[in-house]
Amino acid sequence: MPLRADASAPKTVRLPRFSRAERWIHRTTAVLMGTCVVTAACLYLPQLAELVGRRELVVRIHEWAGIALPVPVLAGLASRAFRADLGRLNRFGAHDRRWLRAALRRDRRHASRPADKFNAGQKIYAAWIAGASLVMLGTGLLMWFTHLTPLMWRTSATFVHDWLALTIGVVLAGHIGMALADPEARRGLRTGAVDREWAEREHPLWRP
């Protein structure tokens, strides 16, 4: 005889966190950023360069992926939900400073790390990756259109581009690692909704 679900069992309450537009912006940006990182690795690591070959094609894919990288964010400005979240990411309050102090002390207690919809670490990451992407775009354009700039500019741009690319790779690896450690956060980006208990524990100041 099949078992019936207990009608008295509490149902999981889901809270809307990201709109469909925001999820597509994140996915498209992730694909473009991943393409830039993978093609860069193929261009700079001899082992991968030999394995992949077709250097000219890899260069073109890298260039156009870099050019297209700001497009999802710029197109996303048409979304009211996305603009609202950009505003949240740009606001840094007293609770964010408290979150950072707890993070530096390695204090993992949830009460010590108050957060709104985005915590202080996410805000810093978003600001840093946005600035780094703009610098990469500018230096990449200087390297691409070599006939428009003096040699010193191109040399400096290449130096900044290469070392910043390495830094971005390290930071992205940390970002992905933290995402893998939080299945509910990933579910929120995948489905647009999160568990209420998770939201109250990780983002107690957030009021959907």
Side-chain angles (χ1 to χ4, degrees), residues 66-173:
I67 289 291
L69 191 57
V71 173
V73 173
L74 294 176
L77 294 176
S79 165
R80 180 180 299 177
F82 182 63
R83 294 197 306 272
D85 277 351
L86 285 180
R88 292 187 179 97
L89 285 167
N90 284 327
R91 287 195 293 270
F92 210 87
H95 62 279
D96 293 308
R97 289 188 286 273
R98 183 180 170 189
W99 191 99
L100 283 176
R101 286 195 295 268
L104 292 173
R105 295 195 307 268
R106 297 185 181 277
D107 184 350
R108 298 186 179 277
R109 293 175 301 167
H110 296 296
S112 301
R113 296 191 178 196
D116 200 336
K117 186 173 184 179
F118 303 103
N119 63 45
Q122 291 168 328
K123 292 178 180 181
I124 291 173
Y125 169 79
W128 186 88
I129 200 69
S133 297
L134 289 176
V135 173
M136 292 295 285
L137 177 61
T139 53
L141 289 172
L142 289 176
M143 295 164 62
W144 191 356
F145 298 102
T146 56
H147 61 287
L148 297 179
T149 55
L151 176 61
M152 182 176 293
W153 288 23
R154 298 197 302 271
T155 303
S156 301
T158 302
F159 178 83
V160 172
H161 197 86
D162 291 353
W163 282 103
L164 188 54
L166 178 61
T167 307
I168 288 175
V170 173
V171 172
L172 280 177

Side-chain angles (χ1 to χ4, degrees), residues 42-58:
C42 292
L43 292 172
Y44 287 100
L45 297 178
Q47 296 85 351
L48 287 178
E50 292 176 5
L51 182 65
V52 175
R54 302 190 61 126
R55 182 179 178 84
E56 188 63 27
L57 176 61
V58 175

